[in-house]
Amino acid sequence: MTTPEADALRARLAPHRRMRWRAQGPIVAVVAVGGALGACGRYGLSLAWPTGPGAFPWATFWTNLIGCAVMGVFMVFITEVWAAHRLVRPFFGTGVLGGFTTFSTYTVDIRRLVEAGRPGTGLVYLVATPCAALAAVWLASATVRRVLTRREQA
């Protein structure tokens, strides 16, 4: 049994929860759709460029670098060039690029390299991936800014 006070509180909170879901529901949906698309792209790249046992995981490495570079370009455009619809960033940034990049597979690849007797390669991969990913974001965003600045000056 519930008390009248509890029923009154539940009645006041229910419309707020529905309004909150209505605001967040589209964001959850576009992140899910974008994530599925990004993951399909990543899977396709891994099929096109399979990694053999003990080999350097080039497909994962390049997937993460490409995704990070695209994120750098994307963020410059949506923050400095044009005002994007409120669902563009969650769809493309969080969804597509979040589904495309795969830092979880990166950690599994490191473990596989070590287990295959290639700890040196695993260590290089461990250090090279985040360094290269950060460099890719920085270089891509700096390049886009430079190109846009030159266009404005011309």
Side-chain angles (χ1 to χ4, degrees), residues 13-85:
L13 292 178
H16 176 69
R17 286 184 181 149
R18 280 191 294 264
M19 287 175 31
R20 194 168 169 193
W21 173 248
R22 285 185 186 144
Q24 296 297 318
I27 295 170
V28 171
V30 298
V31 168
V33 170
L37 292 173
C40 287
R42 173 174 31 101
Y43 180 67
L45 188 57
S46 71
L47 289 178
W49 200 350
T51 301
F56 191 87
W58 287 107
T60 305
F61 181 78
W62 284 109
T63 297
N64 288 332
L65 262 57
I66 291 166
C68 288
V70 172
M71 180 58 81
V73 171
F74 175 66
M75 290 307 295
V76 169
F77 275 105
I78 69 165
T79 60
E80 300 174 22
V81 176
W82 52 277
H85 185 276

Side-chain angles (χ1 to χ4, degrees), residues 60-145:
T60 305
F61 181 78
W62 284 109
T63 297
N64 288 332
L65 262 57
I66 291 166
C68 288
V70 172
M71 180 58 81
V73 171
F74 175 66
M75 290 307 295
V76 169
F77 275 105
I78 69 165
T79 60
E80 300 174 22
V81 176
W82 52 277
H85 185 276
R86 74 180 189 95
L87 296 177
V88 170
R89 189 173 182 172
F91 170 74
F92 192 72
T94 305
V96 174
L97 293 176
F100 182 71
T101 57
T102 174
F103 286 90
S104 58
T105 302
Y106 151 76
T107 60
V108 171
D109 288 341
I110 293 166
R111 191 190 79 220
R112 285 181 182 157
L113 286 167
V114 171
E115 288 173 353
R118 310 252 342 255
T121 305
L123 181 62
V124 168
Y125 184 51
L126 173 73
V127 173
T129 295
C131 291
L134 290 171
V137 171
W138 178 82
L139 185 61
S141 60
T143 302
V144 168
R145 283 187 186 105

